[in-house]
Amino acid sequence: MAPLPDWVPKADDLEYGHKRVLAIDGGGIRGILVGVVLEYLEQAILEVLKEDKKHANLTRQDIYLADYFDIIAGTSTGGLLALYLAARGDTYDELGDMGRLGLEREMREEPNNPKHHRKGGATAALQMYRANATKIFKKKVPGWIPGVEAINNALCGSKYGWKGIEGVLREVFGDDEGRNPMLKLTDLTGSVLIPSFETKKTSPFTFSYNKYTGRSGFTYMANDPVGRYGADELRNFKADFPLWQVARATSAAPTFFPVAIVSPYGDPPVNKEGVKPPEFPYELIDGGVVANDPAFQAVLVQARMYGAHLKEKNAMNADDWLLPTDFAVLSLGTGTVKSAANQGRGAQLSIVADLVTKVLMSGASDLVHSYFMAMMGNLPKGSEGRDQFERNPPCPYLRIQKTDTSTDDPKELEKLADDVLRKAQKDVTADERNTYKKCLSAMDDVSDKNMDMLEHIGDFLGRYYTGRPLGDRLERPNLLKNYVREYLLAPKKKKN
């Protein structure tokens, strides 16, 4: 691993020795709102660093999020963002001027050339996704032919074909055939965990890369070769994969895209315990079916890897084992919708798909959030009965999520005007209200007005969690900046 700049603290030098996890949910095109929140995260890191005068000349171009987390976990659209953030380089992607939104526009535009964005930066990740959205969600049949689209969706298995999404991923991450060199897991500069699901053996299949050891591979449910009749367990296999295939696998959402066919690059998979690897090519689908919020999987895999490391060193001291409370988790959601289409008596295929998708994604994420709040949000040490974020130190778990917008509640529409669109309520158009109500329920609406609204919501979340002014004019703590200061940057206190 290349040496870090002097302004990036080493994990061992931090006040709290937590393993730092950034987890990004799946959610299709709604990943746009996460991209905006990531920009605010970069800015929060920069602001804390510049509190030290020797870092006064730093800019956001100096901030790589992969440097400040021990692992970035992402599912589906979150997986694409995680891989892009970790696949940084000294080059710039030419993505075009997408007409950035929001009060902090100058914060989010690169100062040299508005058409070039630093590869591995939050703005570049967001622009990359938005610039290619219509290519990714490219329908297999024309939508303007009455009835044809519905018949295709019902009979042909997926709403979108593989050519559009694979073409984009090959262009972004490179392949053996195009003009861009192919990037692999072992080419990353940051640790990642990318969930998927193997359909032939119906097993979770999680790609990973550890920047500290240089090891890449995957975890898979497999049986112990000695205790053949025991329960299957997650086993680690060493292997390398092209990034475009990893991204394709984690984003192969059922009913939206076909199954991804993936094979290792180079040597075949190996397990140190002699467990036989699954036969490839692997048939993989979206990791959201098991881990739409990948935070729990990130903690699980990190703990297993650390345990294996201790075992290799014969250092099985119980005090060294990692517990959930040894992690500092920043979890970014893509929005949640608490309503689905009314099924009535005879549920149509499209309605069932709508319900199943929301149950898999929203339900699983809610459970993970509840788990972490139970484990970390109620820690007795330092809590003193105070709110989660008013402790010293603060709770090592922060979830940023926008809940249901699909309501006619006047208060929600008032928030739309004042907080999201930043305009008087009387000036909000009926089209804007309708777009707002639907934007979190669709994973594939790539219209400009929907993507603009998602950026607005991301900007609202960024302002809310960084204590910037909102329509209600209430003062709020800078939760994101406080989290960055305590868990990403706080140095160890010197002992007297």
Side-chain angles (χ1 to χ4, degrees):
M1 185 178 69
L4 296 173
D6 61 1
W7 60 82
V8 178
K10 297 178 181 178
D12 294 339
D13 295 335
L14 297 174
E15 171 67 10
Y16 307 109
H18 293 76
K19 299 294 182 182
R20 301 158 298 172
V21 176
L22 174 62
I24 308 174
D25 284 17
I29 196 62
R30 295 180 346 223
I32 285 176
L33 71 87
V34 173
V36 179
V37 174
L38 289 172
E39 293 178 316
Y40 277 90
L41 175 58
E42 282 186 349
Q43 181 67 14
I45 292 173
L46 177 64
E47 290 174 1
V48 175
L49 286 173
K50 293 182 74 168
E51 291 172 358
D52 187 331
K53 292 182 179 179
K54 67 181 180 181
H55 299 146
N57 293 327
L58 292 179
T59 69
R60 275 189 57 233
Q61 288 199 2
D62 298 310
I63 308 301
Y64 283 103
L65 292 178
D67 288 341
Y68 299 89
F69 292 92
D70 295 297
I71 192 166
I72 302 179
T75 299
S76 194
T77 190
L80 270 64
L81 291 170
L83 289 170
Y84 193 85
L85 292 174
R88 76 179 195 209
D90 295 328
T91 60
Y92 287 73
D93 278 355
E94 186 171 348
L95 300 169
D97 184 358
M98 302 301 295
R100 304 295 295 122
L101 302 171
L103 179 67
E104 316 255 344
R105 177 170 179 168
E106 70 280 358
M107 163 185 120
R108 300 199 301 240
E109 286 186 349
E110 302 297 346
N112 298 328
N113 187 333
K115 292 187 177 180
H116 290 75
H117 301 282
R118 176 174 49 88
K119 184 185 287 294
T123 297
L126 169 61
Q127 301 295 61
M128 174 274 297
Y129 197 69
R130 177 158 182 172
N132 291 295
T134 56
K135 300 176 186 175
I136 293 173
F137 295 104
K138 187 176 182 179
K139 294 180 180 179
K140 293 190 291 186
V141 296
W144 50 266
I145 304 178
V148 172
E149 184 179 357
I151 294 173
N152 172 79
N153 295 345
L155 300 179
C156 300
S158 66
K159 188 174 183 180
Y160 304 101
W162 58 268
K163 289 185 178 180
I165 187 170
E166 286 195 10
V168 168
L169 296 177
R170 286 172 180 268
E171 179 70 19
V172 171
F173 297 114
D175 61 14
D176 283 334
E177 303 170 5
R179 62 183 176 89
N180 295 329
M182 185 174 72
L183 295 175
K184 308 178 297 298
L185 283 173
T186 49
D187 294 319
L188 295 176
T189 58
S191 299
V192 296
L193 180 136
I194 310 293
S196 185
F197 189 84
E198 212 281 327
T199 59
K200 289 190 292 186
K201 298 294 184 180
T202 61
S203 167
F205 190 106
T206 305
F207 299 94
S208 63
Y209 172 70
N210 187 323
K211 66 181 178 182
Y212 299 109
T213 64
R215 178 188 173 97
S216 65
F218 63 92
T219 58
Y220 183 81
M221 293 295 291
N223 201 278
D224 188 328
V226 178
R228 291 189 304 169
Y229 301 103
D232 286 354
E233 295 183 17
L234 281 175
R235 302 289 178 179
N236 297 321
F237 295 89
K238 182 179 180 180
D240 204 0
F241 293 88
L243 291 190
W244 77 264
Q245 289 192 15
V246 177
R248 174 71 175 87
T250 193
S251 57
T255 75
F256 285 90
F257 296 105
V259 170
I261 308 300
V262 173
S263 294
Y265 182 88
D267 296 332
V270 176
N271 173 266
K272 286 187 176 181
E273 299 170 327
V275 178
K276 183 180 179 181
E279 295 182 0
F280 58 85
Y282 310 122
E283 297 181 6
L284 304 176
I285 60 174
D286 194 324
V289 300
V290 289
N292 194 60
D293 177 352
F296 179 78
Q297 262 197 301
V299 168
L300 173 65
V301 171
Q302 282 280 91
R304 283 182 61 87
M305 286 182 175
Y306 188 69
H309 172 69
L310 293 178
K311 189 174 181 180
E312 286 181 0
K313 296 177 64 176
N314 293 319
M316 301 300 287
N317 189 324
D319 292 337
D320 292 331
W321 287 100
L322 293 178
L323 300 174
T325 48
D326 291 320
F327 292 84
V329 179
L330 176 58
S331 178
L332 306 182
T334 57
T336 180
V337 176
K338 298 303 181 184
S339 61
N342 183 15
Q343 297 182 66
R345 289 193 174 185
Q348 299 176 13
L349 181 61
S350 60
I351 295 177
V352 173
D354 172 78
L355 179 62
V356 169
T357 299
K358 289 172 181 174
V359 168
L360 287 174
M361 299 184 65
S362 181
S365 296
D366 289 346
L367 284 174
V368 171
H369 174 59
S370 298
Y371 165 79
F372 277 107
M373 286 301 297
M375 291 299 298
M376 297 180 174
N378 299 308
L379 294 178
K381 183 178 180 181
S383 63
E384 301 173 0
R386 291 181 294 177
D387 181 78
Q388 175 188 3
F389 303 110
E390 295 178 351
R391 304 173 185 171
N392 185 23
C395 173
Y397 171 71
L398 175 60
R399 171 78 165 165
I400 297 180
Q401 173 75 301
K402 180 70 177 82
T403 53
D404 202 353
T405 62
S406 61
T407 175
D408 288 316
D409 185 342
K411 291 184 178 180
E412 186 67 29
L413 296 180
E414 184 177 341
K415 288 182 180 180
L416 164 65
D418 290 343
D419 296 337
V420 179
L421 297 181
R422 306 194 209 181
K423 60 191 340 184
Q425 191 167 358
K426 60 182 177 60
D427 295 330
V428 178
T429 67
D431 189 51
E432 286 173 329
R433 290 193 184 96
N434 191 49
T435 301
Y436 180 69
K437 288 174 60 177
K438 294 181 178 180
C439 67
L440 294 186
S441 61
M443 295 198 299
D444 58 344
D445 183 350
V446 294
S447 65
D448 285 337
K449 65 180 181 181
N450 187 68
M451 292 192 288
D452 286 348
M453 185 62 71
L454 290 170
E455 285 202 32
H456 281 307
I457 293 175
D459 184 64
F460 159 73
L461 289 172
R463 286 183 287 118
Y464 181 92
Y465 282 92
T466 55
R468 287 172 167 81
L470 298 175
D472 55 19
R473 307 296 186 267
L474 297 177
E475 290 189 9
R476 291 181 174 83
N478 193 328
L479 300 179
L480 190 57
K481 190 173 179 179
N482 292 343
Y483 188 91
V484 165
R485 178 180 287 109
E486 294 293 340
Y487 291 110
L488 301 189
L489 296 174
K492 287 182 178 178
K493 294 182 176 64
K494 295 182 180 180
K495 296 182 180 180
N496 296 327

